Structure formats: structure tokens, C-alpha cells
Amino acid sequence: MRRLASALGAILLLMTVVVTLSGPTLPAAAASPANCGGTVAAPHALVAGTYGSLDVTGVCDISAGQVVVTGNVTVEAGAALVTAYGRANSAPGTRSGLAIGGDLTAATGAALILGCEPTHFNCLDDPDPSTPTLSSVTTIGGNLTAADPLGVILHLTTIGGDFQSAGGGGGQTCANPAGANVFYNIPGNGGSVYSDIEDSTIQGNLWFTGLTSCWFGALRDTIGGSATFSDLTFMDFDSIEILRNEVRGNMICLNDFPALQFGDAGQAGNEVGGYGTGQCAFSRLPQYGTSVPPVYVPITQHDPNYDGYWLAASDGGIFAFDSPFFGSGAGQSQPIGAFSAAPGGQGYQVATTTGTALPFGSHASCSGTIPTPNRPVVGMAAVPGGGGCWLAASDGGVFSYGSTAAFYGSAGSLALNSPVVGMAATPNGDGYYLDAADGGVFSYGPGASFQGSMGGRPLNQPIVGMAVDPSTGGYWLVAADGGIFSFGAPFYGSTGNVHLNQPIVGMAAAPGGDGYYLVAADGGIFTFGAGAVFEGSTGSIALAKPIIGMALGGSPG
């Protein structure tokens, strides 16, 4: 059974919850900083108003009305910020809530209890818990970052940027000294420390890693980028419930104990715009419900509403198909050598041959300029979990952008038989591959498993690109004539025996690994396999410059 049902004060029902997230409008005028901090027994209720910044040094309640912080909020080590109050000073007809214009940062041992709702988490001041009616909304304009927090509970919370929680937790047993933490203020909870994200919106990427707790839930959330849940440790199979979420990017689950299960939350699986991998791969079928014989259904599956794609030309022109257009890099003094899209379809980036990454959209993966490479940039891969990307030059040099793009090595110091023509990331983002014109493949990082190459073998046409199969971890190479070479990945067909108007210049894998796309220099698109959905092409359009690549992940505009 779900061990925290009484603590949460509600039974999760299999139903659609529609939530309108709103908060106070942030004023432009400057405001003074504030400090807030009491004790578990005597919390400090912050006076309603507008502040330039907020430093939480103890237990701080947002229970006296609407609070607006135009800048950043910091929750110090061991402190707690609680916004789960629906009324101002328990006065009928008044509301409490918190709107943060900048970032929210929580230090070691901090606790966050943000937002409340009648259906799944009662407001702490609700006058009748048996028939709750109150709710409270928290909005964060920037990022939420928690380092080794005691616990994080979010309901009706909107985060405009990324949400990253690393480490922390109250241990696997939920046994805590009486009165020692703010979780004792949750009616019926008895001090049990857990973490939970429900009915909330994260417009960027989510990383929840390294937590040790007696329970964790991520239910009915909307995540604009990718969601990563890794190295989470709990009591039993019913102590981790990550269900009914809409993840517009990729969903990555690694080294979680126990692995994701349906439990008894009564919730359906997750819908993912990109791919699922690891313990939440599309192929994983945990038991759903208590029916006999058991019913096994995917805990994560691809959402076909996100089957769009973009094409990029060498002059920076972008062509969108069932995807939003965020702008282009046309007019650059240097030609565009590579292109990739951010997971979730909220942005993309092009790279000039000299190594400048140009972002477009609200949540592009990377931007900036590297020192001039020895050879032109020819390949680019976005980190699947979001927050970074890699560039590859024709001599095999690799360049990392962003905090999540770890450098695993390069072929820059090797004497290559043929130039590098592209690169691809591993599904979990823990490595990458380079591919050369002669079919040579170079693997870097623990997740990049070398499974063969065409190096040293005769080719009718040179290799022009590669894609990694998110299902098997294998990969495909594609030649200029559309010939496909499979290594640890299924073969779905090729254009190797078809007359092409223009040569193939790249490829992309379908999110389920059940197909792939080829793109030609004139923007012609060729689909193979059930998972590759044709959404249009520029094959019949007169282009100013040739297409150099494509990227998947477009969401409806």
C-alpha cells in the first residue's frame, strides 16, 4: 500500500486534473530585501508585500497574504520555506501565495513545501480537511535548485526555468525525532520526510538525482524539456510513483531502487514527446493494477503529438514541419556546419563552422563561442537530458557547451584516415560517438558502446551521418546515396537503390527506435519504419543554400 496516504490527506484518483496556474504580476519598481525565519514550533509569517529578494534563515511561512519577490530567494541550510497556505491570516475571502521573479535556491538540509490543492494535498490552514476547498499557487520565474535538501514537496507550482534537486532526503525509514522538522506541521504526517512533485509545471528540464527517502512521487506534472530520475533509493516497490506526467522531451531513469512501478496510486503511465530510456524505457512493462491475470502496460510511451522536426540549411535558414518556428541564423558571416534541437521542442541551435553556437527559442540547449577550431565544425548533438550540447570538428575535436555536457574525449590528436562528418549522443547522455566519411566510428564515455563500423570496408558513397537507436543503444550509419549500415540496431530500409535528386546529408532516429529519417541536401525527407512519421519537406522548394541536417522533437506551436 502507499505508505503516505494519510500524510498526504487524499487518495489519488485516476482522473484528469486541469489546473490554471497563475500568480501576482511582478512590478517593475525596485523593492527592499527581506529576511524570514522562525522555528518549527513558532514559524515566522512573512508580511504580505513586494520584496527585492528573500533570505530564509529558519521556518518561513507565506500565510499572511500575497508575497512578490522580484529577485531571488535563498533558503539557507536547515531552513524551510512553506507556501502551503490558502488564506491570509486565516481570514475568509483573502488569499496567500508566492511569486518569485528570479531563482529559488535551497541549501543542504533545507525543506520546501510549496503550494497546496484540495484534491491531493490540503492547505495547512484549510478549515475542514474532510471537504477541502483552499488552494495556493507558487510561481518561480527562473530556476529551482536544491542541493542535498531534506525534502521538497511541490503542488500547483510553476517553474519558468529548470528544476534540479541533487542528493538529500530523510532516509529510507521515515523515522524522525519528534518535532525536529517542518514536516511535523503537515496534519497526520508525524514528521515523515518525503519528496513529492504533483500538478506542477516545469517549463525547462527536470533532474531529480541521488535522493534517499521513504517515498517520492512525481504525478500529473508537465515538463517542457527532459526529465531525469537517477540514483533514487527508497523502501519498496510502492515507495516511488512517477506516473501520469507529460514530458515533452526525453525521460531518463537510471539506477533507481526499486525501479519504477505503478504501485497503488491509481495513475496511468507517462506520455513522452521524445524517448524513454533505462528503467522508464518504452519497452518496460510493469504490472498495472491488481487484476488477475496481471496486466502489463508501458510505464512510459511516446506521445505522437510531438512528431515534428526541423531542417537547417548552410546559410542558417530553418524550416519547421509540425513544429514551432523560433527564428533562424540566416545572415551569418560564417556558414552553418551543424544543427540540433533541445529536448522538448522549445528551442534549437545552429553552429557555425568556426564554432559559434546560436540559440533560438526559450529553452535552447546551448550558446557561445569556442576558440577557433583547427578544422570546421561538422557535427552537433544536444544532451538528451537538456542543459548542454557537444560540437565536433572534422579533425575529431570535440567541444562541450553547458554544465551537463561532460567532456569524454575526442579524436583530435589522432591521424584519421578520413575526416569526421558528424556525431551522436548516447540515449542517457553519458557519452557520444563520432563518425568519419570512411565509416569509422569513435566512441567516448561509459554509455557509448562500440558495436562496429564500416572503416576499412568498401563503400559506394561516403558516410555522411549517424543516429543512435534509443531502444537498443545500437546505431546506424548513412551514406550519401542513402545506404544504411546497422550496428546493434534493426534495419528498416534505405534509399541505396533509389535515384536521388540530391545526396543524403543526415539522419535522425524515431523516438521509439522503430524507424529513422533521412534528409537530402534539397530537404527531401525519407522515412523508414513505423515510428518515422512524414510531416513534410522542402524537396520541391528552391533553396538559397543546401540543407545540412535535421532534428526531431518539435511540439505543436
Side-chain angles (χ1 to χ4, degrees):
M1 62 178 291
R2 182 174 175 178
R3 299 178 180 274
L4 295 175
S6 60
L8 297 179
I11 299 175
L12 294 174
L13 303 176
L14 184 58
M15 61 183 290
T16 300
V17 179
V18 179
V19 180
T20 300
L21 298 173
S22 61
T25 301
L26 301 182
S32 300
N35 292 283
C36 181
T39 65
V40 173
H44 178 195
L46 185 64
V47 175
T50 299
Y51 304 92
S53 61
L54 174 61
D55 187 16
V56 178
T57 57
V59 179
C60 177
D61 286 353
I62 307 300
S63 59
Q66 299 285 353
V67 171
V68 174
V69 180
T70 59
N72 300 325
V73 173
T74 300
V75 182
E76 304 289 356
L81 176 63
V82 184
T83 72
Y85 294 92
R87 300 186 299 179
N89 298 315
S90 298
T94 60
R95 299 293 299 273
S96 288
L98 175 63
I100 302 170
D103 298 331
L104 171 57
T105 303
T108 301
L112 301 176
I113 303 177
L114 307 182
C116 52
E117 53 178 318
T119 308
H120 300 294
F121 187 85
N122 295 4
C123 294
L124 302 182
D125 60 343
D126 204 301
D128 186 0
S130 63
T131 57
T133 59
L134 299 181
S135 63
S136 178
V137 170
T138 300
T139 61
I140 302 166
N143 303 316
L144 194 164
T145 305
D148 291 316
L150 180 62
V152 177
I153 299 177
L154 272 58
H155 292 79
L156 299 193
T157 297
T158 296
I159 301 169
D162 297 330
F163 176 17
Q164 182 171 14
S165 180
Q172 292 178 260
T173 64
C174 279
N176 291 282
N181 62 67
V182 72
F183 292 85
Y184 273 89
N185 293 334
I186 300 176
N189 188 43
S192 297
V193 174
Y194 63 97
S195 290
D196 188 21
I197 314 166
E198 298 192 28
D199 302 307
S200 293
T201 298
I202 300 160
Q203 295 178 0
N205 302 292
L206 167 66
W207 298 275
F208 222 97
T209 62
L211 178 74
T212 299
S213 183
C214 60
W215 191 79
F216 173 72
L219 301 162
R220 304 172 306 280
D221 300 309
T222 298
I223 297 150
S226 289
T228 300
F229 302 95
S230 66
D231 300 298
L232 307 177
T233 304
F234 305 98
M235 284 191 301
D236 55 34
F237 79 96
D238 197 27
S239 298
I240 176 172
E241 292 173 339
I242 301 176
L243 298 166
R244 198 82 184 281
N245 300 295
E246 178 188 344
V247 180
R248 295 174 179 170
N250 305 311
M251 190 165 172
I252 301 168
C253 306
L254 300 171
N255 304 319
D256 297 325
F257 180 81
L260 272 63
Q261 301 289 336
F262 280 97
D264 63 358
Q267 304 289 286
N270 304 285
E271 297 287 336
V272 178
Y275 58 77
T277 188
Q279 293 168 322
C280 48
F282 296 160
S283 59
R284 187 167 178 270
L285 304 174
Q287 182 176 342
Y288 179 79
T290 58
S291 59
V292 179
V295 176
Y296 293 92
V297 298
I299 201 163
T300 302
Q301 58 187 356
H302 175 62
D303 184 344
N305 290 316
Y306 298 90
D307 279 333
Y309 46 79
W310 298 275
L311 311 183
S314 64
D315 62 355
I318 300 292
F319 303 89
F321 296 93
D322 198 26
S323 302
F325 177 74
F326 298 117
S328 75
Q332 298 297 314
S333 59
Q334 296 293 325
I336 300 301
F339 172 61
S340 65
Q346 298 184 93
Y348 44 74
Q349 46 279 327
V350 297
T352 67
T353 55
T354 56
T356 297
L358 305 172
F360 300 92
S362 59
H363 291 88
S365 294
C366 60
S367 64
T369 301
I370 59 174
T372 302
N374 296 326
R375 293 289 185 271
V377 168
V378 294
M380 188 182 203
V383 177
C389 64
W390 297 280
L391 270 61
S394 64
D395 63 353
V398 173
F399 308 90
S400 299
Y401 287 89
S403 60
T404 63
F407 178 76
Y408 294 110
S410 78
S413 61
L414 301 179
L416 302 177
N417 295 327
S418 293
V420 166
V421 294
M423 73 181 311
T426 61
N428 296 327
D430 52 354
Y432 45 77
Y433 299 88
L434 306 180
D435 60 303
D438 65 351
V441 173
F442 306 87
S443 57
Y444 300 93
S449 173
F450 178 78
Q451 302 198 35
S453 78
M454 294 300 294
R457 299 164 66 179
L459 297 170
N460 293 330
Q461 294 288 323
I463 297 297
V464 295
M466 75 178 301
V468 176
D469 178 2
S471 178
T472 67
Y475 47 81
W476 300 279
L477 304 181
V478 61
D481 61 357
I484 295 290
F485 305 92
S486 299
F487 298 92
F491 176 78
Y492 293 108
S494 75
T495 62
N497 59 354
V498 177
H499 174 73
L500 301 174
N501 294 329
Q502 293 288 325
I504 299 297
V505 295
M507 72 180 302
D514 51 351
Y516 40 75
Y517 302 77
L518 308 185
V519 59
D522 61 357
I525 297 291
F526 305 87
T527 60
F528 299 91
V533 180
F534 180 79
E535 300 285 2
S537 77
T538 62
S540 61
I541 299 173
L543 302 176
K545 293 291 183 179
I547 298 297
I548 55 95
M550 72 179 299
L552 304 186
S555 59

